[in-house]
Amino acid sequence: MVTSLVTSKQGIYVDGTFGKGGHTRALAAALNKSATLVGIDQDASLLETFDQSGIAQSLHLVHANFENLDQALRAMGIQQVNGILFDLGLNSATLEDAARGFSFDRNGPLDMRFDQSKSLTAAKVLNEYDEKSLSKILFEYGEEKAARKMAAAITKRRKTTSLETTADLRTIVAELTPHKYLVKALSRVFQAIRIEVNHEFEALRSGLEKGLDLLVPGGRLAVISYHSLEDRIVKRYFQSQALQSAPPEIQPYQTTVPGRVKLVTRKPIVPSVEEIKENPRARSAKLRVVERIS
Ligand SMILES: C[S@@+](CC[C@H](N)C(=O)[O-])C[C@H]1O[C@@H](n2cnc3c(N)ncnc32)[C@H](O)[C@@H]1O
């Protein structure tokens, strides 16, 4: 990732998904002391516990959603940057923390908020959304074929008792799914609810757009995604910015002209076998990078 992102060793680099700071540390190691680093995460608890020792550059940590990247940087007096990284999703510590409600393997409250200052929780989605909306979320954000049946079972169940825990949701999914497909169904359902709670796709679309706006010519935006729905959004947006409709006067000869970026990765970069062995959760990771040309 670092080699694909860094084009100027003394530039300003933004890690828009700071997490535990692993990528920021890798960037710091590749940059000169005079570079500036900005780490952004919507989960404030991760920023509070970070130990800055060993980082030679000035590092600013900001609690924000990358959908507001422009405001966050402007508030620091930064108008343009040399590189931006989004490593999407959630980090393993958050997934493993039962109290955050992201894991179907650990019983906990139906929370699933990345940003705990927000009010929409998984419990609210599951107990308050109408059946049609739930079905749409499960189908569109989880690609769950049994979305309608599951939405019906959720709304039926909550007429007697509301859903409060991850085990409550797991039980409903388990009742409707053959055992051998259970883990996959749970992954799809938990993913779908999480995407809704954190309006992840809207944030991603907005983050990509603002990210490109903020790059200097020659600057790069790198995105690591972990499932096909996210990757599709990134791929389509990058393609739309790499090729734009030709102006009317040249339309007879050519329908498209180069846009404001070039694709650094025509095909996404995927982890090597060794990387997957070291970190099995990276197996579905896809890295796409674009460079601003104008
Ligand atoms: C996969 S982890 C990043 C791990 C990080 N690269 C590291 O090395 O530790 C994703 C992080 O992005 C944060 N995140 C996800 N969506 C975000 C958004 N829209 N704005 C800001 N942070 C976001 C999550 O809270 C989580 O900490």
Side-chain angles (χ1 to χ4, degrees):
M1 178 285 301
V2 172
T3 44
S4 315
L5 186 63
V6 174
T7 50
S8 152
K9 288 198 170 202
Q10 47 277 312
I12 304 177
Y13 287 85
V14 179
D15 180 350
T17 48
F18 185 77
K20 292 260 177 192
H23 278 126
T24 292
R25 279 195 192 282
L27 276 170
L31 296 170
N32 290 348
K33 265 190 182 169
S34 59
T36 301
L37 286 160
V38 181
I40 291 177
D41 206 293
Q42 59 174 327
D43 185 339
S45 66
L46 295 164
L47 303 172
E48 285 152 15
T49 52
F50 185 69
D51 171 9
Q52 295 211 14
S53 58
I55 295 189
Q57 295 80 3
S58 79
L59 166 64
H60 309 271
L61 295 181
V62 187
H63 176 221
N65 189 309
F66 60 57
E67 69 185 340
N68 303 316
L69 196 58
D70 50 345
Q71 284 169 27
L73 294 179
R74 244 185 272 125
M76 285 185 280
I78 296 175
Q79 314 295 338
Q80 281 193 311
V81 302
N82 299 80
I84 301 171
L85 168 69
F86 297 149
D87 176 17
L88 303 173
L90 72 164
N91 73 70
S92 22
T94 310
L95 176 67
E96 283 156 21
D97 181 355
R100 301 291 298 269
F102 286 103
S103 170
F104 53 78
D105 276 336
R106 288 155 208 259
N107 195 17
L110 279 167
D111 188 318
M112 299 198 200
R113 287 170 301 170
F114 282 132
D115 182 344
Q116 296 197 286
S117 66
K118 300 283 184 240
S119 60
L120 186 64
T121 61
K124 274 199 178 169
V125 170
L126 290 159
N127 290 308
E128 294 175 17
Y129 279 28
D130 62 35
E131 186 176 326
K132 208 169 153 200
S133 308
L134 281 174
S135 169
K136 192 165 179 264
I137 288 165
L138 295 175
F139 188 71
E140 286 183 7
Y141 298 165
E143 300 185 290
E144 173 51 61
K145 290 203 183 77
R148 272 201 205 159
K149 263 199 279 176
M150 286 186 190
I154 291 165
T155 46
K156 186 173 169 214
R157 145 85 202 243
R158 73 192 193 198
K159 279 185 192 144
T160 47
T161 31
S162 58
L163 283 86
E164 299 297 341
T165 64
T166 51
D168 293 341
L169 181 56
R170 185 183 173 117
T171 304
I172 295 175
V173 177
E175 279 166 6
L176 296 169
T177 314
H179 186 69
K180 66 174 178 175
Y181 301 125
L182 183 58
V183 170
K184 288 208 164 145
L186 286 167
S187 308
R188 292 192 294 266
V189 169
F190 275 65
Q191 171 184 298
I193 304 297
R194 189 196 92 190
I195 290 171
E196 173 62 18
V197 168
N198 299 291
H199 66 283
E200 287 179 43
F201 292 166
E202 293 86 349
L204 176 57
R205 288 192 189 95
S206 169
L208 292 172
E209 205 175 311
K210 291 184 173 163
L212 284 193
D213 289 346
L214 286 158
L215 288 178
V216 295
R220 291 184 173 186
L221 170 60
V223 185
I224 304 171
S225 61
Y226 292 88
H227 57 81
S228 57
L229 297 172
E230 277 173 355
D231 184 54
R232 197 177 309 153
I233 293 173
V234 179
K235 178 178 159 185
R236 288 194 180 154
Y237 185 66
F238 283 180
Q239 282 173 342
S240 76
Q241 299 302 299
L243 273 185
Q244 293 181 338
S245 286
E249 60 279 14
I250 63 167
Q251 280 273 355
Y253 316 105
Q254 195 176 326
T255 53
T256 54
V257 290
R260 61 174 172 160
V261 303
K262 77 171 182 210
L263 304 177
V264 177
T265 49
R266 293 217 153 261
K267 291 222 162 115
I269 299 175
V270 295
S272 63
V273 178
E274 287 74 37
E275 282 171 314
I276 296 174
K277 253 192 219 154
E278 246 172 60
N279 175 16
R281 291 193 56 231
R283 67 188 176 280
S284 52
K286 284 186 175 160
L287 168 68
R288 291 185 188 271
V289 185
V290 285
E291 181 173 312
R292 183 90 191 255
I293 48 179
S294 61

